[in-house]
Amino acid sequence: MLSQGFVSAASIAASVLFILSLGGLSNQEKAKRAVWYGIVGMAIAVGFTAFASGIGGYGWMLPMVLIGAVIGVSVAKKVKMTEMPQLVAALHSFVGLAAVFVGLNADLERRRVMAVQLIGDTGERFSAFAALVATKTPAELTFLQVEVVLGVFIGAVTFTGSVIAFGKLAGKIDGKPRQLPGGHLLNAGAAILALLLAILYVNGAGIWTVLLLALLALFIGYHLIMGIGGADMPVVVSMLNSYSGWAAAAIGFTLSNDLLIVTGALVGSSGAILSYIMCKAMNRNFIHVILGGFGGSQGPAAEIEGEQVAIDAGGVASALNDAESVIIVPGYGMAVAQAQNSVSELVRKLRDADKEVRFGIHPVAGRLPGHMNVLLAEAKVPYDIVLEMDEINADFASTDVVIVIGSNDIVNPAAEEDPNSPIAGMPVLKVWEAKQVFVSKRGQGTGYSGIENPLFFKDNTRMFYGDAKSSVDSLLPLLD
């Protein structure tokens, strides 16, 4: 067994590696190294925690670690980039459920210690956690109860919220916002009742209070995320990431595990900051989004005039051959078609012809922050031509050709032109200001949020129907 000194030193080392990992992920060139920092940090955290003094049950622990590792490797090898958002949501649910189980077990251990102390049985063998509980003062035991309540509540909300987010992202649940009759009042009522149960629990009521509190929290997580529309799902995933971090931190306080506290705080704060940044980029109020106030229409939508006009590969290639400047706007459709390598080849051919080619990336393009950046980096697209919305939006008016590949809501002019649109006020890429716009799209359906896009009906827009990869591939032999 390892001494507490070794475990504390390992915790500090792992915490530093986690911080370096988060910091490195802000830069595409450093991201691979940052991921390795996280991997090594987690290996240190798991290893030194498992073999710390007072830890036992290896007959159960080691097989479970092995089974989990095999499942993790298998899933990582099979999952596609398009499925990463729902995978992240699923992993968040595991953290939430773990927090609930740890909280309930901690209360059972607390009650067992109190019962043993009451009857004066000095021969009772305690687990490492129970032995720690036995040394706590009455005030410290009260704090332990508060930690249990927080861990169970946040964990339960995270669990069901993440399950619903997974369903919406995977297309197994309708992406439209839906709430039970009573809407936000149901959530508020459940939260107030959970608070009353928490007060009863801290004041000596039975474990039934924690169980009921967990059930109420499970309902809140379900109803909260069901009430959030598909256009907000990238923010939801980030927000649930924050919840999972706070749940982990609560577990850390319960178990007196410094590493869990630090790691949970890092995940919780970074997730909250990212959610805030994304809401700011979408011109949305953070609290409004969380409460499910965005995603439904606010009145009759504006009528769309005109028709969608199709074009073939020859027409698009001709326009590209004549153009001097091109901006490509990728979206979830590019990810679905796995078209990033074809797009990279298209960029190479256009740049070889001395054309200016750049990418415009919306902060919430795809279904996970940074989704498009990762795909383009994977296809070896030069970092310096991949620009964020604020860097490129003013250049569309002077651009000859814009190619939209599988994007919908992030290039929707209704955000600026229709005050009744569900995305009214959301900053979007102003692709319609370019001389010509070609939209690569599988069909005439709406985007993930279910909102019709007037861009597709504008006079300078042509619809290049078909699978994104096949469509881009058909352009390559036609370029000069």
Side-chain angles (χ1 to χ4, degrees), residues 383-404:
Y383 299 136
D384 60 333
I385 66 171
V386 180
L387 306 178
E388 299 298 323
M389 177 177 65
D390 292 341
E391 300 175 293
I392 204 167
N393 236 359
D395 296 343
F396 283 109
S398 58
T399 299
D400 295 324
V401 172
V402 169
I403 303 178
V404 179

Side-chain angles (χ1 to χ4, degrees), residues 7-25:
V7 175
S8 297
S11 296
I12 294 173
S15 298
V16 171
L17 287 169
F18 291 149
I19 293 170
L20 291 173
S21 180
L22 279 175
L25 291 175

Side-chain angles (χ1 to χ4, degrees), residues 460-471:
N460 64 334
T461 299
R462 294 294 181 267
M463 306 301 295
F464 189 25
Y465 292 121
D467 173 81
K469 185 179 186 306
S470 299
S471 295

Side-chain angles (χ1 to χ4, degrees), residues 295-324:
S297 78
Q298 333 221 328
E303 292 290 332
I304 299 178
E305 299 180 353
E307 61 179 355
Q308 297 185 20
V309 180
I311 193 171
D312 60 15
V316 178
S318 177
L320 288 172
N321 287 329
D322 294 338
E324 294 183 359

Side-chain angles (χ1 to χ4, degrees), residues 157-230:
V157 170
T158 303
F159 173 67
T160 48
S162 298
V163 169
I164 297 303
F166 169 84
K168 288 195 173 190
L169 290 166
K172 300 180 184 299
I173 299 176
D174 190 352
K176 294 181 179 179
R178 300 187 185 279
Q179 290 183 326
L180 297 173
H184 299 312
L185 291 178
L186 280 177
N187 294 336
I192 291 171
L193 186 53
L195 178 60
L196 293 175
L197 288 168
I199 294 172
L200 288 174
Y201 167 68
V202 172
N203 283 279
I207 195 173
W208 62 269
T209 53
V210 183
L211 294 173
L212 284 179
L213 181 144
L215 290 175
L216 287 169
L218 290 171
F219 168 78
I220 291 173
Y222 156 80
H223 200 231
L224 203 62
I225 307 305
M226 280 296 292
I228 298 177

